[in-house]
């Protein structure tokens, strides 16, 4: 038994099950009582706490045997002997034994939740013990010795909660996403699904479709010529309602799919600018680690350098790029010395490739940070800088895609404050002259050496990321909807049937009703009305053990 428990701890698998022998959860095992370690244990040093969860009909028997106390199902009628019992929904400090060997395993806290008021809807118990490998291994071995009891499969506790009506399928998926969330925004979206607020939208759509279906089926025995005026009006109103629903669902799919992409895969931010503008230093400051090589030598960075991290609750991929020397890629004309022409040619080829990659990365970016050395700015050169920025943005189609742009003036520690203010005003005027809308570009003056205004710039970037989500939602308020690929696929299938239904002629009411019925079925699958066991298996297979 101890060997099998060791294998379970290392592989998180039930050793009696052969690969492909059955689905991960079926009628032969769903009535078993299950147990699992719900916390991670350091293999070398152990952990401060280990939590073992138990669920099923054997829970009360297991609990009473390993604690040598009676497990009460109610807190009523407690008598003087209450110290020898386990009270429901109370933390009880008690000794834990191996009943067969009469061996004390550990002292820990026991939490007892009688059915149906538990996470799974079954009898549930949690053992909070010291997180050493020896304690956990002994307890798992002891639990595995009870009849009709086995280690839980991934996500099996949550699956039982769905089966017993404690949560719906969408909430179960959101629990998995909440556990795996890495950014604050991912956490918020997962909680939105857990609270069930997104489900209300689906239920409203389903109710409207059921109402439409009822009207259609009431008229299904009539042909177009037999429909009285009132019935024809009702069917026409149903078609109008279908058009409204199709637009509403289509807009929702378009909005949420893009927002989900930004939240899950992250926002792409690219740093552009001329060589020695301080791009690599700025990259290292934002990443808070040395990701890019910093040197006084012009053109040190030749290839793209990326780093993904969280900024202002957003998942962000920041990309450092090669310096933009000549966007026309005609630097060969500068080779005046024939002796060095071949060497210059090779140098230019590498440089041009770096610029091409920088611009290619900028084209697919969601936000651009353009760095300029303050020494390049004076009353005579602000127009040149504005034209340079305009040329860079025009080459990546920033105006057409409405990219958010931060123009960052670096190395202000080399200038006086008054000079910087004058240059900044002149630059803004120059930007307006080249027809760059002020609403799309913000100007910030910083010093990477002294970190002046870095916090201000980070705050500005965070606000741009917030606006990016709002612009995709086409709303002035933050829109958070919980969707995943399964939901979007089902919504797409529902839309196809609704689109077919609204385009049918009025004398084909029976086909129209069938398409509406199919769309209701797809909507209901999102929140849990699913009969396909393989689909259920796919949803829960990525859960962690003990959840």
């Amino acid at each position: 038994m101890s060997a099998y428990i060791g294998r379970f701890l290392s592989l998180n698998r039930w050793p009696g099950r052969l690969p492909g022998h059955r689905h991960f959860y079926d009628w032969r095992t769903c009535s078993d009582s299950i147990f699992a370690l719900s916390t991670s244990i350091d293999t070398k040093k152990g952990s401060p706490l280990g939590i073992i969860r138990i669920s099923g009909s054997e829970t009360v028997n297991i609990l009473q045997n390993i604690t040598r106390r009676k497990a009460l199902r109610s807190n009523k009628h407690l008598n003087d002997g209450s110290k020898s019992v386990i009270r429901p929904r109370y933390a009880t400090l008690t000794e834990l034994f191996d009943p067969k060997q009469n061996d004390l395993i550990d002292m820990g806290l026991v939490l007892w939740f009688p059915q149906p008021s538990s996470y799974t809807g079954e009898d549930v118990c949690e053992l909070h013990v010291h997180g050493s490998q020896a304690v956990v291994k002994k307890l798992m071995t002891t639990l595995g010795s009870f009849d009709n009891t086995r280690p839980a499969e991934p996500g099996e506790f949550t699956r039982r909660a769905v089966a017993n009506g404690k949560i719906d399928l969408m909430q179960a998926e959101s629990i998995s996403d909440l556990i795996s969330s890495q950014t604050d925004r991912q956490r918020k979206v997962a909680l939105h699904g857990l609270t069930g607020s997104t489900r209300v939208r689906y239920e409203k759509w389903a109710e409207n479709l059921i109402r439409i279906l009822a009207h259609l089926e009431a008229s299904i025995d009539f042909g177009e010529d037999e429909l009285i005026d009132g019935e024809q009006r009702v069917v026409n109103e149903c078609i109008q309602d279908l058009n409204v629903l199709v637009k509403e669902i289509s807009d929702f799919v378009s909005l949420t799919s893009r927002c989900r992409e930004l939240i899950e895969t992250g926002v792409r931010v690219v740093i552009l600018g001329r060589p020695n503008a301080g791009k690599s230093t700025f990259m290292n400051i934002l990443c808070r680690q040395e990701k890019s090589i910093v040197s006084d030598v012009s053109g040190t960075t030749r290839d793209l350098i990326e780093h993904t991290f969280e900024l202002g609750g957003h998942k962000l991929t920041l990309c450092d790029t090669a310096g933009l020397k000549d966007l026309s890629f005609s630097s060969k004309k500068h080779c005046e010395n024939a002796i060095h022409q071949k060497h210059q040619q090779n140098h230019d080829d590498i440089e041009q490739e770096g610029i091409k990659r920088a611009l290619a990365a900028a084209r697919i970016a969601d936000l651009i940070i353009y760095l300029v050395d303050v020494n390049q700015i004076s009353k005579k050169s602000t127009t040149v800088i504005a034209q340079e920025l305009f040329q860079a943005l025009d080459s990546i189609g920033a105006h057409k895609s409405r990219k958010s742009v931060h123009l960052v003036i670096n190395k202000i520690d080399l200038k006086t404050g008054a000079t910087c203010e004058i240059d900044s005003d002149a630059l803004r005027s120059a930007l307006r002259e080249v027809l760059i809308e002020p609403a799309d570009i913000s100007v910030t003056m910083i010093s990477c050496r002294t970190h002046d205004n870095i916090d201000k710039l980070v705050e500005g970037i965070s606000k741009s990321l917030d606006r990016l989500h709002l612009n995709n939602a086409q709303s002035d308020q933050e829109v958070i909807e919980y969707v995943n690929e399964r939901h979007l696929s089902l919504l797409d299938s529902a839309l196809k049937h609704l689109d077919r239904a609204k385009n049918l002629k009025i004398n084909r009411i029976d086909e129209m009703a069938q398409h509406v019925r199919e769309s209701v079925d797809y909507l209901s699958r999102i929140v849990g009305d699913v009969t396909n066991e393989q689909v259920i298996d796919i949803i829960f297979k990525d859960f962690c053990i003990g959840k």
Side-chain angles (χ1 to χ4, degrees):
M1 178 60 72
S2 61
Y4 123 69
I5 289 295
R7 183 168 180 235
F8 167 75
L9 286 172
S10 61
L11 300 178
N12 290 332
R13 288 290 184 269
W14 178 250
R17 179 168 69 89
L18 297 176
H21 185 65
R22 63 167 178 83
H23 291 308
F24 107 123
Y25 183 81
D26 62 22
W27 62 270
R28 288 168 289 185
T29 58
C30 64
S31 61
D32 293 342
S33 291
I34 55 175
F35 63 92
L37 178 65
S38 297
T39 53
S40 61
I41 302 297
D42 190 291
T43 56
K44 293 183 178 179
K45 298 181 180 179
S47 301
L49 179 69
I51 299 178
I52 298 174
R53 178 179 287 179
I54 310 167
S55 180
S57 58
E58 291 295 320
T59 301
V60 65
N61 177 49
I62 294 171
L63 180 59
Q64 292 181 152
N65 274 277
I66 64 174
T67 63
R68 298 178 179 177
R69 298 189 183 201
K70 182 179 181 181
L72 301 180
R73 293 191 173 274
S74 171
N75 286 314
K76 298 179 180 179
H77 311 299
L78 286 175
N79 51 36
D80 294 338
S82 60
K83 292 184 179 180
S84 62
V85 300
I86 303 293
R87 300 173 63 183
R89 283 170 290 280
Y90 276 79
T92 304
L93 179 63
T94 183
E95 296 175 329
L96 301 173
F97 295 90
D98 178 349
K100 293 186 177 180
Q101 298 183 5
N102 195 27
D103 183 21
L104 176 63
I105 301 173
D106 193 15
M107 287 192 65
L109 291 177
V110 171
L111 301 178
W112 158 234
F113 305 94
Q115 65 172 342
S117 301
S118 68
Y119 178 72
T120 63
E122 305 172 330
D123 285 343
V124 172
C125 172
E126 289 185 0
L127 308 177
H128 294 228
V129 298
H130 297 96
S132 75
Q133 286 230 351
V135 169
V136 171
K137 183 177 180 181
K138 179 63 175 178
L139 268 174
M140 298 288 274
T141 303
T142 300
L143 295 177
S145 66
F146 285 89
D147 294 336
N148 303 316
T149 303
R150 61 173 175 81
E153 296 280 1
E156 190 170 356
F157 288 94
T158 300
R159 180 162 187 167
R160 292 190 177 200
V162 173
N164 293 323
K166 304 299 291 186
I167 57 175
D168 60 45
L169 193 57
M170 183 184 293
Q171 289 175 312
E173 290 173 305
S174 67
I175 290 172
S176 178
D177 288 340
L178 182 61
I179 293 172
S180 61
S181 63
Q182 297 178 335
T183 67
D184 191 56
R185 187 165 290 271
Q186 290 174 354
R187 175 188 63 81
K188 288 180 179 179
V189 170
L191 282 174
H192 201 73
L194 186 58
T195 56
S197 50
T198 305
R199 174 177 180 157
V200 175
R201 182 188 296 270
Y202 297 141
E203 290 177 339
K204 178 184 176 182
W205 289 339
E207 288 174 3
N208 289 337
L209 288 174
I210 291 172
R211 176 182 55 79
I212 293 172
L213 182 60
H215 288 305
L216 292 176
E217 290 188 337
S219 307
I220 207 165
D221 293 331
F222 297 93
E224 182 181 12
D225 298 333
E226 298 175 325
L227 287 173
I228 60 177
D229 292 340
E231 291 292 340
Q232 287 184 351
R233 188 186 73 254
V234 169
V235 174
N236 286 328
E237 288 177 353
C238 288
I239 295 174
Q240 292 176 3
D241 291 341
L242 286 176
N243 282 315
V244 172
L245 276 173
V246 166
K247 184 179 185 309
E248 187 175 341
I249 297 175
S250 297
D251 290 345
F252 176 81
V253 169
S254 176
L255 180 156
T256 54
S257 59
R258 175 55 181 156
C259 287
R260 180 180 181 274
E261 180 183 352
L262 290 174
I263 292 170
E264 294 298 322
T265 63
V267 179
R268 290 192 62 84
V269 179
V270 169
I271 306 173
L272 295 178
R274 283 185 169 273
N276 269 6
K279 299 185 299 298
S280 296
T281 303
F282 179 69
M283 168 90 166
N284 293 339
I285 290 174
L286 282 190
C287 297
R288 297 185 178 182
Q289 56 181 289
E290 298 295 324
K291 298 299 296 185
S292 295
I293 298 174
V294 177
S295 169
D296 292 333
V297 178
S298 177
T300 299
T301 302
R302 296 296 185 92
D303 207 348
L304 304 180
I305 299 175
E306 295 186 348
H307 181 60
T308 300
F309 59 102
E310 180 179 358
L311 182 69
H314 301 270
K315 185 177 182 180
L316 181 147
T317 298
L318 187 64
C319 181
D320 187 16
T321 62
L324 305 180
K325 279 189 176 179
D326 186 357
L327 297 179
S328 63
F329 306 114
S330 59
S331 60
K332 284 184 285 185
K333 66 184 179 181
H334 297 298
C335 301
E336 298 177 355
N337 191 332
I339 299 176
H340 299 290
Q341 187 170 359
K342 184 176 181 180
H343 172 76
Q344 186 67 37
Q345 174 70 54
N346 294 334
H347 176 79
D348 288 344
D349 289 342
I350 297 174
E351 189 173 73
Q352 290 171 16
E353 181 62 29
I355 294 174
K356 288 179 181 179
R357 294 188 181 190
L359 295 178
R363 289 188 186 98
I364 62 173
D366 302 295
L367 188 148
I368 302 295
I369 298 176
Y370 197 91
L371 253 70
V372 177
D373 187 337
V374 71
N375 293 303
Q376 301 176 27
I377 302 178
S378 66
K379 291 183 179 180
K380 295 180 180 180
S381 62
T382 51
T383 301
V384 176
I385 296 298
Q387 290 287 354
E388 175 189 321
L389 176 59
F390 178 78
Q391 184 181 8
L393 297 181
D394 188 59
S395 66
I396 62 175
H399 302 299
K400 296 180 181 179
S401 59
R402 306 290 292 175
K403 294 182 187 294
S404 179
V405 179
H406 282 263
L407 176 58
V408 180
I409 314 302
N410 189 22
K411 305 181 183 180
I412 61 171
D413 55 289
L414 303 179
K415 294 280 188 177
T416 63
T419 305
C420 288
E421 290 298 327
I422 294 173
D423 289 343
S424 178
D425 292 338
L427 184 57
R428 288 187 174 90
S429 297
L431 290 174
R432 285 192 291 269
E433 290 177 6
V434 294
L435 303 179
I436 298 177
E437 298 183 21
D440 295 331
I441 296 181
S442 64
V443 181
T444 308
M445 311 193 76
I446 69 167
S447 169
C448 288
R449 187 175 70 86
T450 63
H451 287 204
D452 286 348
N453 293 334
I454 292 293
D455 291 341
K456 178 182 177 181
L457 177 57
V458 170
E459 182 181 353
I461 294 173
S462 296
K463 290 181 179 179
S464 294
L465 298 180
D466 291 335
R467 287 196 298 271
L468 183 63
H469 284 273
L470 295 180
N471 291 338
N472 278 283
Q474 299 178 348
S475 170
D476 293 332
Q477 296 180 344
E478 185 178 31
V479 177
I480 299 178
E481 297 288 353
Y482 177 71
V483 294
N484 59 29
E485 289 299 328
R486 187 182 71 88
H487 303 167
L488 292 173
S489 176
L490 291 171
L491 287 172
D492 183 63
S493 297
L495 275 173
K496 289 179 181 178
H497 282 284
L498 291 178
D499 194 59
R500 293 169 187 166
K502 71 183 182 64
N503 291 322
L504 289 172
K505 294 183 178 180
I506 196 171
N507 63 337
R508 300 174 66 180
I509 304 176
D510 54 342
E511 293 181 47
M512 193 183 301
Q514 180 59 32
H515 283 303
V516 173
R517 191 178 296 108
E518 292 286 347
S519 66
V520 173
D521 178 63
Y522 282 115
L523 282 176
S524 65
R525 294 185 192 183
I526 295 177
V527 294
D529 187 10
V530 186
T531 56
N532 191 327
E533 284 296 319
Q534 290 182 338
V535 174
I536 292 287
D537 283 347
I538 292 172
I539 292 172
F540 286 98
K541 73 179 178 61
D542 292 330
F543 267 72
C544 57
I545 299 290
K547 193 59 181 175

